[in-house]
Amino acid sequence: MFEHIQSAPADPILGLNDAFKNDTTPNKINLGVGVYKDEQGQTPILQSVKQAEERLLNSEKTKSYLSIEGTQTYRQAVKSLLFGTEHKILMDKRARTAHTPGGTGALRVAAEFIKKHLPEATVWISNPTWANHQAIFQSVGLDVASYSYYDSANKSLDFEAMLASLSQVPTGDVVLFHGCCHNPTGVDPSAEQWQQLAKLCSKQGFLPLFDFAYQGFGTGLEEDANGLRTFTQHVSEMLIASSFSKNFGLYNERVGAITLVCETEELADTVFTQLKRIIRSNYSNPPSHGAAIVTEILSDTKLRSLWEMELESMRKRIHEMRGLFVNMLRANGVEQDFSFISRQQGMFSFSGLSADQVKRLKQEHAIYIVGSGRINVAGMTHDNIKPLCDAITTILQTP
Ligand code: LMR
């Protein structure tokens, strides 16, 4: 039965991570997969998380199933982070959230929901986008198209081209936006540009789907929600896939959420039953532990302020590494201008390194970067930045 099956290609991000783990070169550097590293090169468990876990260990009374949508307190906490506590959508009870296994789980639920209830819709993704987006929507049989986003010559947002492409999107299609810290480019729309995008969305009549995985990694928790909140002023329906992998460092706990915004409370109740049905036939109900940690932290003033401090220090460290990287390449005599890297947001930077240069960095220096040239800036430390910059300098100066 299985003899005709051919092997699938390695995943461009997680496959690279496996290759890194198998590499025995001392002082190898991993700037591939998007996980935060501290100055010691470790992906730490946040103190706020550890403290919340201690409390849970003492207070948890059962391992019985959660409901299909997860706990009420977790879902409320997610909504408050997304919209802010006093948002009109919450007052009007127009949003429904279900706890999902990670942001990818949320996107998969969204994909199945779109396929079932908006079967003719094409899903529009930015060019470029996270390497997994296309596969998630195509795996449920949806058509995927791309809209212009990045100006690779100027290393910035090509907003004119973005508007031009989105003006072609017909009513009833779905457009995926990165809430903040665009993956892979690190380039986000400005506040004014979000306004224009939201107005365009309302005019064209497409459904916005936000992938919101880096809240707090750009400028701050509130600031990073600006794009999403701007849309709420102009359109009455949206989907949001959010994740706590990065901002709580809860990568392997798989904790995220899918949020649905409808025009009325009644509609939200009705449509949510269909979302729950999709979840039930997929993973039945979500894993508890990660969401219990998030809920514990967000509902306790002390733990919450500790978490916010830890989040801020992750954000600041990444920002510092951006500046150091740019300065060190300049000091090494690299002529190419890399200053755009210090203007980008979040974990990633689209370095502009070619596929061939990325390959040489891996083969000659055991430095792992995603094939597209995406660099995880959060993988840089004071210890590895010099060998990293020296290796990039060598590659650039010896074609
Ligand atoms: C990434 O983009 O590296 C992360 O979001 C991890 C992943 O699942 O690809």
Side-chain angles (χ1 to χ4, degrees):
M1 295 290 276
F2 299 150
E3 276 155 12
H4 66 287
I5 299 174
Q6 316 260 317
S7 59
D11 183 80
I13 297 175
L14 297 185
L16 189 74
N17 208 38
D18 292 339
F20 177 81
K21 283 183 196 154
N22 293 333
D23 189 332
T24 51
T25 315
N27 303 325
K28 58 188 178 174
I29 299 174
N30 189 1
L31 304 180
V33 67
V35 293
Y36 177 80
K37 309 261 180 64
D38 62 15
E39 261 309 308
Q40 285 69 47
Q42 304 299 321
T43 302
I45 301 177
L46 300 186
Q47 283 177 45
S48 49
V49 166
K50 269 286 177 209
Q51 290 182 23
E53 282 186 310
E54 273 170 34
R55 292 189 192 181
L56 290 173
L57 189 64
N58 291 320
S59 63
E60 196 174 48
K61 294 204 171 55
T62 180
K63 295 283 185 194
S64 182
Y65 293 123
L66 296 187
S67 58
I68 294 172
E69 68 271 36
T71 69
Q72 173 65 22
T73 41
Y74 172 73
R75 295 184 296 126
Q76 198 53 46
V78 170
K79 280 187 282 202
S80 299
L81 267 185
L82 296 180
F83 304 112
T85 40
E86 313 262 292
H87 198 286
K88 188 149 186 337
I89 284 182
L90 304 187
M91 303 298 151
D92 295 345
K93 303 195 172 76
R94 288 172 40 222
R96 297 286 174 281
T97 296
H99 164 191
T100 57
T104 307
L107 286 167
R108 175 66 191 221
V109 171
E112 287 189 33
F113 174 80
I114 294 163
K115 178 67 187 168
K116 184 145 185 236
H117 299 285
L118 311 166
E120 302 305 321
T122 292
V123 178
W124 294 75
I125 55 179
S126 62
N127 178 23
T129 193
W130 179 44
N132 209 13
H133 275 149
Q134 185 168 346
I136 291 172
F137 297 104
Q138 284 180 339
S139 67
V140 301
L142 282 165
D143 286 335
V144 176
S146 66
Y147 61 86
S148 300
Y149 191 83
Y150 189 63
D151 175 349
S152 50
N154 294 309
K155 311 277 191 287
S156 61
L157 181 66
D158 193 344
F159 191 62
E160 290 305 309
M162 184 184 186
L163 281 184
S165 330
L166 293 180
S167 302
Q168 307 298 316
V169 176
T171 305
D173 275 2
V174 178
V175 176
L176 187 144
F177 294 99
H178 297 227
C180 68
C181 307
H182 183 269
N183 179 3
T185 65
V187 173
D188 292 329
S190 66
E192 166 56 29
Q193 288 168 338
W194 278 121
Q195 287 282 351
Q196 289 190 54
L197 291 169
K199 283 182 195 156
L200 181 68
C201 176
S202 157
K203 178 166 161 252
Q204 296 291 121
F206 54 74
L207 178 74
L209 162 58
F210 274 81
D211 183 352
F212 200 26
Y214 295 90
Q215 188 174 6
F217 267 81
T219 317
L221 280 171
E222 297 298 311
E223 296 87 336
D224 291 352
N226 175 55
L228 170 73
R229 293 181 193 173
T230 301
F231 264 68
T232 64
Q233 293 157 12
H234 297 273
V235 296
S236 55
E237 294 173 324
M238 58 205 287
L239 289 169
I240 303 148
S242 53
S243 165
F244 295 126
S245 296
K246 325 279 171 169
N247 51 12
F248 281 81
L250 287 170
Y251 307 90
N252 68 11
E253 298 293 354
R254 311 306 301 136
V255 45
I258 177 79
T259 297
L260 167 80
V261 179
C262 292
E263 198 145 15
T264 63
E265 181 182 354
E266 294 70 34
L267 212 50
D269 282 334
T270 307
V271 180
F272 195 55
T273 62
Q274 292 293 349
L275 212 61
K276 282 166 59 175
R277 198 166 178 207
I278 284 163
I279 292 173
R280 175 65 172 144
S281 61
N282 186 339
Y283 53 84
S284 188
N285 49 73
S288 166
H289 188 66
I293 296 169
V294 170
T295 310
E296 190 72 32
I297 293 173
L298 293 180
S299 51
D300 180 280
T301 321
K302 263 201 190 149
L303 283 183
R304 182 170 176 136
S305 55
L306 176 59
W307 168 64
E308 287 191 14
M309 267 168 47
E310 293 184 289
L311 180 58
E312 187 183 353
S313 80
M314 291 195 278
R315 179 171 68 237
K316 287 197 168 150
R317 203 193 79 73
I318 298 173
H319 203 72
E320 188 199 338
M321 296 324 291
R322 285 185 181 279
L324 258 180
F325 181 67
V326 173
N327 290 343
M328 205 170 267
L329 286 178
R330 200 178 289 136
N332 273 359
V334 169
E335 279 175 15
Q336 215 170 309
D337 179 19
F338 278 96
S339 61
F340 63 91
I341 290 183
S342 51
R343 293 190 293 273
Q344 296 168 338
Q345 295 270 51
M347 273 191 182
F348 303 117
S349 203
F350 220 35
S351 64
L353 292 169
S354 68
D356 187 53
Q357 289 166 335
V358 170
K359 198 163 144 203
R360 282 184 61 199
L361 279 171
K362 182 170 158 211
Q363 284 171 352
E364 297 168 25
H365 301 274
I367 294 172
Y368 287 69
I369 290 173
V370 178
S372 62
R374 186 193 81 171
I375 289 182
N376 174 22
V377 184
M380 297 179 192
T381 65
H382 282 94
D383 284 341
N384 70 21
I385 195 137
K386 172 107 179 65
L388 170 69
C389 289
D390 289 351
I392 293 178
T393 306
T394 308
I395 297 286
L396 290 172
Q397 291 177 348
T398 53

